[in-house]
């Protein structure tokens, strides 16, 4: 389909990125998959490529381009190659918006140059073992010391993507008790140095998919966090989290669309090469109908993904629109990838084939960033229901 979302700069970046993936990722991806994470030094290569600094202001070493379109290209190209960039996605998509929105000038001077260079990788720690989507129910606490110089952080987080390699983690913690009329009150955000005494990384979690992305449990035992590392104002963290959920959900939606598009490509190539009963699988009418139906769904998902990208860049992507895009694109990807795997037959169940890994990777899209059920609640509320 004809697209207007990308220009010549984006396409030039696409060519550079595709060559980088072929040279630096594809040859070693099986090793990453077996290890359960990308190596830490790979993130320095991404930094050298400039991907961490695209949306960072020039004064801090970035390109100063206030657009998510280059990230959209990254979603498409990694999916196309059947690879990922490990846990580095949260560094830019989740970490950067909070720094840009909440950090003081002093904090930006401390944080952003190292963010761009890859010297400090960032992650976001919201979810706790007993809370899931109920962020207002979090138990992690941050108590201000008597002398007012630091907070004392105690608690635990789980499902933290990028948590193994992270050098700084934005930790959500309670600084005040919830109010009777507002249980969301009392949450604050902290840019926690992972080298702090009492901070520990627990298990590197063994996931169904996203095998090259390091996901960890974190624990905090009397961790001293300087007051200078509070992000934004005390007790307003829940509102900050809500502000940035739209961009997070856009990222999941766009990634899901890109995965669906890649699945159709993988299936098309496979059925054209695979021979059954003396004929290529592609020659059977059922194959043609299945891929045609999948392509139609991908076309629709692309339109939704592109529209939400334009709205995000314009600062107009509402929570309900982001939820709608996430719900639609992730459900489309679920259906398309499943049908494309079926066309691979038994080989589709083998991890040596990209479609198998894609199938496993895709499943979490309907869970993290808010489940499909939560997305429906947000959309229904926006409808006045």
């Amino acid at each position: 389909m004809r697209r207007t979302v990308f220009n010549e700069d984006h396409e030039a970046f696409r060519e550079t990125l595709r060559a980088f993936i072929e040279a630096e990722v594809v040859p070693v991806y099986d090793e990453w998959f077996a290890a359960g994470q990308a190596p830490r030094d790979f993130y320095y290569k991404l930094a050298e490529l400039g991907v961490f600094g695209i949306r960072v202001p020039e004064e801090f070493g970035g390109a100063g381009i206030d657009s998510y379109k280059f990230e959209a290209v990254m979603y498409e190209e990694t999916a196309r190659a059947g690879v990922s960039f490990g846990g580095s996605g949260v560094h830019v998509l989740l970490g950067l918006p909070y720094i840009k929105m909440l950090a003081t000038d002093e904090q930006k001077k401390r944080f952003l140059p190292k963010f761009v260079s890859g010297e400090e990788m960032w992650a976001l720690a919201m979810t706790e073992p007993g809370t899931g989507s109920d962020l207002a129910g979090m138990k992690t606490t941050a108590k201000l010391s008597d002398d007012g110089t630091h907070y004392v952080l105690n608690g635990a987080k789980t499902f933290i993507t990028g948590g193994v390699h992270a050098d700084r983690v934005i930790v959500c913690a309670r600084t005040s008790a919830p109010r009777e009329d507002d249980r969301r009150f009392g949450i604050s955000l902290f840019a926690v140095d992972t080298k702090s005494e009492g901070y520990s990384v627990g298990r590197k979690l063994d996931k169904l998919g996203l095998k090259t992305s390091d996901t960890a449990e974190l624990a905090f035992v009397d961790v001293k966090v300087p007051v200078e590392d509070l992000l934004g104002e005390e007790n307003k963290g829940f509102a900050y989290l809500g502000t940035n959920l739209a961009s997070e959900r856009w990222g999941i939606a766009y990634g899901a669309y890109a995965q669906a598009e890649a699945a159709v490509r993988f299936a098309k190539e496979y059925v054209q090469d695979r021979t059954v009963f003396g004929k290529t699988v592609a020659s059977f009418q059922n194959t043609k109908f299945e891929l045609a139906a999948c392509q139609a769904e991908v076309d629709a998902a692309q339109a939704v993904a592109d529209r939400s990208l334009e709205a995000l860049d314009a600062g107009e992507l509402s929570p309900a629109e982001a939820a709608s895009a996430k719900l639609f694109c992730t459900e489309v990807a679920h259906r398309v990838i499943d049908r494309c795997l079926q066309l691979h037959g038994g080989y589709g169940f083998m991890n040596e084939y990209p479609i198998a890994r894609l199938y496993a990777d895709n499943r979490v899209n309907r869970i993290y960033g808010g489940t499909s059920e939560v997305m429906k609640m947000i959309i229904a509320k926006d409808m006045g229901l």
Side-chain angles (χ1 to χ4, degrees):
M1 295 181 68
R2 185 177 66 87
R3 304 175 77 184
T4 59
V5 69
F6 298 124
N7 61 28
E8 292 180 359
D9 290 339
H10 303 122
E11 296 306 329
F13 176 68
R14 186 188 302 279
E15 291 182 13
T16 299
L17 189 64
R18 187 172 296 182
F20 174 84
I21 290 171
E22 288 299 320
E24 300 290 346
V25 183
V26 172
V28 294
Y29 196 68
D30 286 345
E31 297 174 19
W32 298 3
F33 190 85
Q37 63 186 33
R40 177 63 175 83
D41 60 4
F42 171 69
Y43 298 154
Y44 288 110
K45 294 181 180 180
L46 286 177
E48 290 173 7
L49 191 65
V51 300
F52 293 157
I54 293 171
R55 290 191 289 110
V56 173
E58 292 183 51
E59 62 187 294
F60 302 113
I65 301 172
D66 193 18
S67 171
Y68 284 81
K69 291 184 178 180
F70 291 93
E71 286 167 58
V73 171
M74 282 189 270
Y75 282 121
E76 293 184 348
E77 290 304 307
T78 51
R80 178 185 180 277
V83 301
S84 82
F85 286 162
S88 66
V90 300
H91 180 65
V92 175
L93 184 64
L94 301 187
L96 184 58
Y98 289 99
I99 302 173
K100 292 178 68 175
M101 178 177 69
L102 302 175
T104 64
D105 289 341
E106 184 275 331
Q107 287 175 324
K108 288 177 181 177
K109 290 176 182 177
R110 277 197 292 132
F111 296 151
L112 286 175
K114 294 180 180 180
F115 181 99
V116 173
S117 69
E119 183 178 344
E120 282 191 350
M121 296 298 295
W122 287 62
L124 176 64
M126 292 190 290
T127 306
E128 296 185 359
T131 59
S133 296
D134 181 22
L135 295 178
M138 70 177 60
K139 304 298 183 184
T140 297
T141 61
K143 303 292 186 183
L144 187 63
S145 62
D146 292 338
D147 61 7
T149 61
H150 62 273
Y151 292 85
V152 180
L153 182 68
N154 284 283
K157 301 290 181 178
T158 192
F159 305 148
I160 308 307
T161 304
V164 174
H165 286 318
D167 302 289
R168 285 268 176 184
V169 177
I170 299 172
V171 177
C172 313
R174 281 210 163 274
T175 44
S176 297
R179 295 171 175 166
E180 288 188 10
D181 62 339
D182 184 9
R183 59 193 294 268
R184 300 175 177 180
F185 174 82
I187 294 172
S188 301
L189 306 184
F190 299 89
V192 179
D193 186 341
T194 63
K195 296 185 295 295
S196 301
E197 184 178 353
Y199 179 104
S200 64
V201 177
R203 291 185 303 152
K204 180 166 71 69
L205 300 174
D206 183 16
K207 307 181 299 295
L208 170 68
L210 301 179
K211 290 291 189 179
T212 63
S213 172
D214 56 301
T215 303
E217 295 174 331
L218 306 179
F220 321 113
V221 179
D222 294 335
V223 177
K224 292 183 179 180
V225 182
V227 292
E228 292 83 6
D229 288 345
L230 171 70
L231 284 176
E233 297 182 40
E234 255 195 19
N235 303 323
K236 294 186 177 181
F238 197 96
Y240 299 146
L241 294 172
T243 299
N244 285 320
L245 276 173
S247 61
E248 178 182 355
R249 287 167 179 163
W250 163 80
I252 297 169
Y254 211 96
Y257 139 69
Q259 288 176 326
E261 182 180 53
V264 172
R265 175 172 170 265
F266 295 146
K268 180 182 175 182
E269 291 175 352
Y270 179 82
V271 299
Q272 287 175 327
D273 291 338
R274 176 69 169 165
T275 301
V276 179
F277 305 123
K279 301 167 61 177
T280 63
V281 176
S283 66
F284 291 94
Q285 186 180 63
N286 178 69
T287 302
K288 296 176 182 179
F289 282 5
E290 282 292 284
L291 283 177
C294 287
Q295 184 62 56
E297 289 217 73
V298 169
D299 287 345
Q302 183 188 84
V304 170
D306 284 355
R307 185 183 70 177
S308 63
L309 172 55
E310 294 284 22
L312 181 63
D313 267 9
E316 299 172 355
L317 185 64
S318 71
E321 289 171 329
S324 179
K326 181 182 184 296
L327 178 65
F328 182 77
C329 291
T330 57
E331 293 292 339
V332 164
H334 161 65
R335 293 191 297 271
V336 167
I337 294 170
D338 183 76
R339 293 165 83 173
C340 288
L341 186 150
Q342 186 73 16
L343 289 172
H344 282 71
Y347 289 102
F349 203 64
M350 301 297 113
N351 273 327
E352 64 185 276
Y353 281 79
I355 192 69
R357 299 180 183 183
L358 196 58
Y359 183 88
D361 289 351
N362 168 74
R363 185 58 185 88
V364 76
N365 289 335
R366 292 181 287 149
I367 299 174
Y368 67 0
T371 64
S372 290
E373 292 73 22
V374 170
M375 298 304 99
K376 292 173 183 176
M377 291 171 58
I378 295 170
I379 297 165
K381 183 177 180 181
D382 187 67
M383 295 170 65
L385 299 174

